[in-house]
Amino acid sequence: MAGRTQAERSDETTGRLVRAARRLFGARGYAPTSIDAVAAAAGVTKGAAYHHFGGKVALFRAAFVRELEEVSAALERAAGAEQEPMAALRRGCRTFLEHCLDPGFRQIVLLDAPSVLSWETVRAIEHDHLLRVLHDGLRVAVAGGQAADGDLPVRARLVFGALCEGGMLLARSQDPAADLPRLAAEADRFLEALRR
Amino acid sequence: MAGRTQAERSDETTGRLVRAARRLFGARGYAPTSIDAVAAAAGVTKGAAYHHFGGKVALFRAAFVRELEEVSAALERAAGAEQEPMAALRRGCRTFLEHCLDPGFRQIVLLDAPSVLSWETVRAIEHDHLLRVLHDGLRVAVAGGQAADGDLPVRARLVFGALCEGGMLLARSQDPAADLPRLAAEADRFLEALRR
DNA sequence: CTAGTTACGTACTCTCAGTATGAAACATGG
DNA sequence: CCATGTTTCATACTGAGAGTACGTAACTAG
């Protein structure tokens, strides 16, 4: 393990810590997961965690950001596969609902984040990732004349709120594969409301 | 303080505890509020709290239920003042958004509850109060032929999710009185989507 | 009036977040 | 290559707070 640069050491350790944080915070939730447990799962001690992160909240925040980066990438990929703006929106919504089947994502992003981080913080981070994708999709639809004009940031936020609840419902279903289309149908109904 | 029955003593103490819990949990949030602080604010000690409630979570749950009872009553009152089913729905949504201006409600119900209690628990309690009102409103609208048929429990949940996000947005606004109509307009647009 | 139950208060334990403090591993000027 | 920072961690400690054990006072039942 000798001969590595400081940046390499840091990246290695922070990477391991964030990965472990996502696993443990995602599996057991924020409160019952000790920072020692995360450090141990990462193969280091608490000292390393407190050196690289300000505290437990900062470590959680890093895991949260990582979750959002992943889902945003998946959304952009899915929406990019459609040409029609409204079809892209529907596809993106469906992809988000599917992503909610991941228990870690639900626990970190949908359940714990608003409580652990302030709502302002969550909103800001979500805006930079998830909401930006949704907002862009809406803007394209409006520009193309396929959706009615209005307060797009607010509209994106409302759609997002509905999708989060839908994701939790889907995850709770005993047969998600069967319920996804039904849920997507109700969600599409709301998207249809935006047609001019 | 002598000569009271046991039931009176219990009711007095639990009432004071739940009121104090709503105040402190609502103002500072769940995690940074110690159970000793709640007990002190209620004029008792930790022993009383642990005697009447299973623990900190159970005390929070009682405060959460109380919040939901209040908002549900407000919703039923508001919706009951309208004859038209769709108008009652719009009125109820607007009332809910206004209720979100209460910081304690936001902190307890919208931010902390999903993290502190399990989602199953939150959903069950919300179903017995808030969601029941919304669901009934939707059912009346469908029965009257004013709204399209569909999966009403799911639809109610989606609307509820959108309203929660809207409530947080409204609270964050520096001029809620001015933003409420704009927000309600976007919310109404989604309700319009349900028209057959 | 006495035995039993309920409603607390007090004093403890134990976990865990956060804080030194020091020792390695690197970096940098000579 | 050496000496002196600087960064990266590990280890030992502190404090706060959730939960528990136990004792005592207030009610209840016979």
Side-chain angles (χ1 to χ4, degrees):
Chain A
M1 278 300 188
R4 292 185 308 171
T5 182
Q6 296 277 54
E8 284 171 344
R9 284 216 301 170
S10 287
D11 290 353
E12 166 83 15
T13 303
T14 56
R16 296 169 71 90
L17 278 170
V18 172
R19 267 193 301 274
R22 285 182 65 190
R23 274 220 321 276
L24 297 190
F25 286 150
R28 311 175 199 172
Y30 178 79
T33 301
S34 74
I35 209 165
D36 291 277
V38 174
V44 294
T45 66
K46 198 200 301 205
Y50 275 95
H51 176 73
H52 289 288
F53 299 92
K56 195 183 179 186
V57 171
L59 186 52
F60 176 83
R61 182 195 163 108
F64 174 66
V65 168
R66 194 76 192 83
E67 290 287 343
L68 283 193
E69 285 171 353
E70 278 194 6
V71 68
S72 307
L75 284 195
E76 273 181 333
R77 223 177 308 124
E82 301 278 350
Q83 355 273 5
E84 276 294 322
M86 291 303 284
L89 277 177
R90 280 197 301 273
R91 178 75 172 273
C93 289
R94 195 190 164 97
T95 303
F96 180 83
L97 290 176
E98 287 170 353
H99 200 90
C100 289
L101 291 176
D102 174 18
F105 175 79
R106 290 201 308 273
Q107 186 69 44
I108 293 177
V109 175
L110 302 184
L111 295 181
D112 282 338
S115 177
V116 174
L117 314 169
S118 76
W119 193 77
E120 314 286 333
T121 304
V122 169
R123 176 174 152 72
I125 299 175
E126 282 174 347
H127 177 78
D128 291 344
H129 299 85
L130 249 170
L131 265 295
R132 184 179 47 77
V133 180
L134 182 53
H135 190 265
D136 285 353
L138 284 172
R139 192 158 42 203
V140 169
V142 170
Q146 305 199 334
D149 206 355
D151 195 329
L152 294 195
V154 166
R155 185 180 297 173
R157 200 74 207 173
L158 294 184
V159 170
F160 178 63
L163 284 178
C164 289
E165 289 290 328
M168 291 305 298
L169 275 179
L170 181 65
R172 189 182 170 280
S173 156
Q174 59 275 57
D175 187 2
D179 282 342
L180 201 156
R182 294 172 48 233
L183 195 55
E186 281 292 334
D188 286 350
R189 182 184 295 279
F190 285 97
L191 285 181
E192 284 303 314
L194 307 180
R195 293 211 116 94
R196 48 167 76 253
Chain B
M1 281 300 190
R4 291 184 309 171
T5 182
Q6 296 278 55
E8 284 171 343
R9 286 216 300 170
S10 285
D11 289 354
E12 166 82 15
T13 303
T14 55
R16 295 169 71 90
L17 278 170
V18 172
R19 266 193 301 275
R22 283 182 66 188
R23 274 219 321 279
L24 297 190
F25 286 150
R28 309 177 200 172
Y30 177 78
T33 301
S34 74
I35 210 166
D36 292 275
V38 173
V44 295
T45 65
K46 198 197 306 204
Y50 275 96
H51 177 70
H52 290 288
F53 299 92
K56 195 183 179 186
V57 170
L59 185 52
F60 176 84
R61 182 194 163 109
F64 173 66
V65 169
R66 194 78 192 80
E67 291 286 341
L68 282 193
E69 285 171 354
E70 279 194 6
V71 69
S72 306
L75 284 195
E76 271 180 335
R77 223 177 308 125
E82 301 277 351
Q83 355 273 5
E84 275 294 322
M86 291 303 283
L89 276 178
R90 280 197 301 272
R91 177 76 170 272
C93 289
R94 196 191 164 96
T95 302
F96 180 82
L97 289 176
E98 287 170 353
H99 200 89
C100 288
L101 291 176
D102 175 18
F105 176 79
R106 289 202 308 274
Q107 187 68 45
I108 293 176
V109 177
L110 303 184
L111 295 181
D112 282 338
S115 177
V116 174
L117 314 168
S118 77
W119 193 77
E120 314 286 333
T121 304
V122 170
R123 174 174 154 72
I125 298 175
E126 282 174 347
H127 177 77
D128 291 343
H129 300 86
L130 249 168
L131 265 295
R132 185 179 46 77
V133 180
L134 182 53
H135 190 264
D136 286 352
L138 285 172
R139 192 158 42 205
V140 169
V142 169
Q146 304 199 333
D149 205 355
D151 194 329
L152 294 194
V154 166
R155 186 181 295 175
R157 199 74 208 173
L158 294 184
V159 170
F160 178 64
L163 285 179
C164 289
E165 289 291 327
M168 292 304 299
L169 275 178
L170 182 64
R172 189 183 170 279
S173 157
Q174 60 275 57
D175 187 2
D179 282 342
L180 201 156
R182 295 172 47 233
L183 196 54
E186 282 292 335
D188 287 350
R189 181 183 297 277
F190 284 98
L191 285 182
E192 285 302 314
L194 307 181
R195 292 210 115 94
R196 47 165 79 251

